[in-house]
């Protein structure tokens, strides 16, 4: 009964080292995914600033032109975030499928 239990110690570093040779075959996809994640993080951190600026300079100061401009900036950021999120998901899946293909090829 104890023969069925396989004890392995796999953490993220071990898994990354095992998968890196396969991932390394597509460096541009990997680098693109990392860069998109960094840009998405920056956009997500910038959105509260835009909302705060719209409230402080637009609503409280009763300047509708600033409020409209910040609404357009917010819309542009959300559109960019949606497109980048789709791109990141798609490219990461492509990379994952290619890594799986190479793994199956080696087995």
């Amino acid at each position: 009964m104890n023969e069925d239990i396989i004890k392995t110690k796999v953490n993220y570093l071990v898994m990354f080292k095992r998968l890196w040779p396969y991932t390394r075959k597509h460096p541009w996809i990997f680098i693109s995914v990392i860069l998109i994640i960094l840009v998405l993080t920056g956009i997500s951190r910038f959105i509260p600033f835009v909302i705060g600026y719209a409230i402080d300079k637009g609503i409280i100061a009763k300047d509708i032109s600033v409020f409209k401009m910040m609404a357009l900036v917010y819309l542009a950021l959300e559109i960019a975030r949606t497109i980048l999120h789709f791109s990141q998901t798609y490219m990461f899946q492509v990379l994952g499928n290619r890594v799986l293909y190479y793994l199956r090829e080696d087995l």
Side-chain angles (χ1 to χ4, degrees):
M1 190 114 173
N2 289 336
E3 297 170 1
D4 293 336
I5 299 174
I6 300 173
K7 293 185 179 181
T8 60
K9 199 169 194 179
V10 178
N11 55 25
Y12 289 117
L13 183 60
V14 172
M15 192 171 22
F16 185 76
K17 285 181 180 178
R18 287 183 184 174
L19 294 177
W20 179 246
Y22 304 106
T23 306
R24 189 175 52 198
K25 294 179 182 180
H26 299 285
W28 292 112
I29 296 175
F30 184 72
I31 291 169
S32 298
V33 168
I34 298 299
L35 288 176
I36 289 172
I37 289 171
L38 292 174
V39 171
L40 277 170
T41 302
I43 289 173
S44 296
R45 299 286 297 174
F46 188 65
I47 286 176
F49 171 75
V50 170
I51 293 172
Y53 189 83
I55 291 171
D56 293 341
K57 305 293 182 184
I59 295 176
I60 294 176
K62 296 182 182 176
D63 188 359
I64 195 71
S65 63
V66 172
F67 185 74
K68 286 180 182 179
M69 180 59 72
M70 288 300 109
L72 291 175
V73 169
Y74 177 75
L75 178 65
L77 288 173
E78 284 296 333
I79 290 171
R81 193 168 76 155
T82 301
I83 292 169
L84 287 172
H85 190 277
F86 173 79
S87 301
Q88 181 251 333
T89 303
Y90 177 78
M91 292 174 74
F92 197 66
Q93 287 179 356
V94 166
L95 181 64
N97 284 333
R98 290 182 184 178
V99 167
L100 280 174
Y101 175 78
Y102 295 134
L103 276 169
R104 290 178 180 151
E105 207 174 51
D106 285 350
L107 292 177

